[in-house]
Amino acid sequence: MSMTFGWQSPSNIALVKYWGKRDPQLPSNPSISFTLDACHTQTKAHFEAGQGVQVLLDGVETPSFVPKIEQFIGRIQHRHPWLADYRLTVDTFNSFPHSSGIASSASGLSALALCVVDAAQAVGHALLEADPRREASILARLGSGSASRSVYGGLVVWGETASIPGSSDHYALPFPHVVHPVFSNFCDVVILVDVGQKAVSSTAGHALMESHPFAEQRFAQAHTHMAAFKELLAQGDVFPFLDLVEREALTLHGLMMSSEPSYILMRPNTLHILEAIRRFRQETGTPIGFTLDAGANVHVLFPKEVEQSAMRFVNEVLAPYAKDGRFIEDRVGQGPLSL
Ligand code: PMV
């Protein structure tokens, strides 16, 4: 039997950062993210009798991606033994440029996980999780931790924590508490400071948390921050929200700088952008802030209501710090779409 399933799945940006993990790909602390919209991956997965993996990126056969997909299949096979009888062709397309420095693992692996769950149901495999979306989140997590959050839209939580009933280290779930409408249409403009390969991968960064001198304090702090976000998201006061988001981003980079060995992923222009955002916020009273993932690029966050003045600021002040002036305009999105 041969079959094809397709999903479009978005990337996400964490507000409380997952940094540090244990086997099998379980987080050392809880995290919460905004699911994005424009930055997404479209994947068609074709299953036919046989063995092996083939990957097409933008229609071009890309053997360098095969080991990553084989590793993913190897990690999920205990939940999906039926995969052993199938040859998999993954035909994938990213809406954002591959060299942009935006991680495609969250969008790509969540899209593939959703395809695998569809295929499992088509071959009559009984899912270990009754809810197919939850099963997809578990599979995506086994591929890349942050991918577990991309199977839902809006605000998404991953990792067990007291302030979020039902939260789990094994799968993500939509943030279950009241959210003020100001957060439903947040904008995220990604300023592309450095578009090359990261000097230290996220995998290596997570591993350095195992012996990090501040690990325990950091993991405890993430739980406190999750509880604080619950209040801030309900109240809708954007300034303290942005303050906490920024401290989370700088904590992530502070952990990198205080790892052993120490490393720095921010670039001089990253700092110029952070300073410019804080100055603009202070001088104009505009609710605008930043977060960072594990790289040099800056995610500029602001509510839709101030989009006009924020975009003028991005174009005039921030874009000159970007590599070739490039940035990606994104926003909070609704989550994956079946193709
Ligand atoms: O999912 P990974 O292993 O690529 O790790 C992602 C880590 C951060 O992006 C820095 C934080 C997060 O929660 O997404």
Side-chain angles (χ1 to χ4, degrees), residues 92-286:
T92 198
F93 161 82
N94 291 327
S95 68
F96 45 95
H98 179 54
S99 62
S100 67
I102 307 276
S104 56
S105 57
S107 52
L109 287 166
S110 56
L112 184 54
L114 288 156
C115 294
V116 168
V117 170
D118 280 353
Q121 290 176 301
V123 301
H125 173 71
L127 298 180
L128 292 180
E129 268 299 332
D131 175 358
R133 205 49 84 92
R134 183 168 287 181
E135 177 70 18
S137 180
I138 292 174
L139 301 186
R141 184 202 94 230
L142 289 164
S144 168
S146 55
S148 66
R149 298 184 306 241
S150 274
V151 304
Y152 298 106
L155 282 156
V156 185
V157 170
W158 171 44
E160 190 177 345
T161 191
S163 59
I164 313 281
S167 56
S168 167
D169 287 349
H170 294 264
Y171 47 80
L173 68 159
F175 181 71
H177 299 294
V178 177
V179 178
H180 190 280
V182 72
F183 298 113
S184 63
N185 58 4
F186 242 64
C187 301
D188 176 3
V189 178
V190 192
I191 313 288
L192 302 173
V193 173
D194 192 359
V195 296
Q197 192 79 19
K198 279 187 269 185
V200 179
S201 70
S202 286
T203 307
H206 287 295
L208 287 173
M209 285 307 286
E210 281 167 32
S211 56
H212 199 289
F214 304 146
E216 288 317 312
Q217 293 95 318
R218 161 57 193 162
F219 300 149
Q221 180 197 50
H223 288 272
T224 311
H225 284 176
M226 292 293 289
F229 265 114
K230 182 184 157 192
E231 303 304 321
L232 293 169
L233 289 168
Q235 285 161 8
D237 189 349
V238 178
F239 289 98
F241 166 83
L242 292 173
D243 176 62
L244 189 52
V245 170
E246 291 187 356
R247 282 191 286 120
E248 267 291 321
L250 295 175
T251 298
L252 172 70
H253 284 259
L255 290 166
M256 295 169 188
M257 289 191 263
S258 50
S259 290
E260 199 187 323
S262 151
Y263 63 107
I264 303 173
L265 293 185
M266 287 191 282
R267 308 293 304 150
N269 278 354
T270 310
L271 278 180
H272 283 303
I273 292 168
L274 305 192
E275 283 183 341
I277 291 170
R278 286 188 163 177
R279 203 178 311 123
F280 180 69
R281 180 168 71 218
Q282 200 163 18
E283 285 171 3
T284 65
T286 306

Side-chain angles (χ1 to χ4, degrees), residues 12 14 16-19 21 31 105 144-147 149 202 206 252 293-294:
N12 68 75
V16 173
K17 307 291 184 180
Y18 145 60
W19 201 237
K21 63 178 172 181
S31 57
S105 57
S144 168
S146 55
R149 298 184 306 241
S202 286
H206 287 295
L252 172 70
D293 63 10

Side-chain angles (χ1 to χ4, degrees), residues 36-52:
L36 297 178
D37 186 42
C39 291
H40 60 245
T41 298
Q42 290 182 340
T43 293
K44 287 221 162 80
H46 180 71
F47 302 82
E48 63 195 316
Q51 265 83 41

Side-chain angles (χ1 to χ4, degrees), residues 78-97:
H78 65 287
R79 297 181 76 85
H80 291 270
W82 62 271
L83 278 167
D85 300 327
Y86 284 86
R87 172 174 175 75
L88 170 62
T89 303
V90 180
D91 191 349
T92 198
F93 161 82
N94 291 327
S95 68
F96 45 95

